[in-house]
Every structure is written in structure tokens, then in C-alpha cells.
Amino acid sequence: PFYPIPFGRRDSLTFANLSTTLANLPSPASNVTVLISVLGPKGLTFTDLVALSGGHTIGRSNCSSFQNRLYNTTTGISMQDSTLDQSFAKNLYLICPTNTTVNTTNLDILTPNVFDNKYYVDLLKEQTLFTSDQSLYTDTRTRDIVKSFALNQSLFFQQFVLSMLKMGQLDV
């Protein structure tokens, strides 16, 4: 979706450092409870969380960001997450054959180079990389929002714009 970016931020003259970024960005291994505990105090709602996560409809990820869904993170032994589609997991094991593989893969397997609502369709099929993404569908507090965005791309686009504008005004 297209939307105008508001002018007037005075904090954009310096870049955020790594520690500041990591302190404000939840881990891809987070569940909805953790996600909202980080984003809720900033004024973001469950709907904002689900809409902003839709940005994962484009981009790529390193195996290390989702290895917890394929391997025991302590032993490195193969151990598939129960909320991960089996055929999708088989493909991920080909891309990430060990828990130390440094390969990357697309976040959205249906339309990796198109900003659309197929990320939400991936969630319904249990074919997403991150625990933080899949938990949006497994958690009853956000499941209906995921379903509505999967069924209605216009609704997703409309809410994405509102949530991006809201997030862009945080901590000005």
C-alpha cells in the first residue's frame, strides 16, 4: 500500500545502534504474550501487532532466526515444532540441514517478492519461519485478526497503513 510519510521527526539525524534496536525488537522466538509485553507499553494493540507482522510478506531470514522450530537449541538435535507443517519443515531441513547452517530463505513462500496478504495465508497453513509469526495464529487473542487479513487483502493494507503511521510516531 502507498501512504504519505508524515514530516517533522527530529530524531532521525542519528541511527539507532545495535543494542537499542535489539532492546526494542522482540525475538523471532517470542510468542504473542512476549510480543505484546514489548509493544503494548508503546501503545500498540493486538491488531497493530498482527498488521505490522504482515511486513514479513517480503524479505529473507537466516536459519539461525528460526532454528528453534527445527532443532533443540541446546543439543542441536532435530526436533520439529508441532505448529510447523511437516512438508514445509522437510523443505526447511534441506535449506538448514544443521542447527549451525548459515543459509537464508524467503519469509513468505507463496509470493516472496510481492507485498500482499499471502503471509497470513502461510500462517493458516502453518508455513511460516518464526515462532513469533506462527503464534499470531495459534494464540486465540490474535487468531481472528490473522484470519480476517488472510481473507481480505484490502483490510490488511488499510490496517497496515494505520499501524505503520502509529508506529512511526512512537518516541518522537
Side-chain angles (χ1 to χ4, degrees):
F2 173 82
Y3 59 95
I5 304 295
F7 295 109
R9 287 194 70 117
R10 295 181 305 248
D11 60 344
S12 62
L13 299 177
T14 57
F15 295 99
N17 61 34
L18 181 60
S19 62
T20 301
T21 301
L22 293 177
N24 288 282
L25 189 64
S27 160
S30 301
N31 61 26
V32 170
T33 299
V34 173
L35 294 171
I36 206 66
S37 74
V38 172
L39 302 175
K42 297 177 184 303
L44 298 174
T45 65
F46 286 113
T47 301
D48 293 322
L49 168 62
V50 175
L52 293 169
S53 295
H56 290 168
T57 190
I58 54 174
R60 297 181 64 78
S61 176
N62 293 309
C63 293
S64 62
S65 294
F66 57 89
Q67 72 173 343
N68 67 304
R69 299 195 75 205
L70 299 173
Y71 299 98
N72 178 309
T73 54
T74 303
T75 65
I77 296 172
S78 176
M79 185 181 79
Q80 181 185 324
D81 183 321
S82 64
T83 64
L84 191 59
D85 174 76
Q86 288 187 358
S87 63
F88 182 61
K90 286 179 185 177
N91 289 332
L92 292 179
Y93 280 117
L94 294 174
I95 296 164
C96 307
T98 70
N99 69 325
T100 59
T101 305
V102 294
N103 293 337
T104 63
T105 189
N106 293 316
L107 292 172
D108 175 356
I109 62 168
L110 293 175
T111 55
N113 300 313
V114 179
F115 193 93
D116 58 17
N117 70 331
K118 299 306 182 264
Y119 158 84
Y120 298 103
V121 175
D122 291 340
L123 287 173
L124 300 180
K125 295 179 178 182
E126 297 182 327
Q127 296 179 342
T128 56
L129 300 180
F130 304 147
T131 302
S132 59
D133 289 335
Q134 196 59 54
S135 73
L136 298 175
Y137 183 64
T138 58
D139 193 297
T140 57
R141 297 171 292 179
T142 49
R143 180 179 298 140
D144 287 341
I145 304 166
V146 168
K147 288 179 183 177
S148 66
F149 291 165
L151 294 172
N152 188 334
Q153 181 168 279
S154 296
L155 178 64
F156 161 55
F157 281 6
Q158 179 184 20
Q159 185 59 52
F160 183 81
V161 167
L162 293 173
S163 297
M164 281 295 290
L165 292 170
K166 185 176 184 180
M167 187 175 66
Q169 296 301 313
L170 296 177
D171 301 325
V172 175

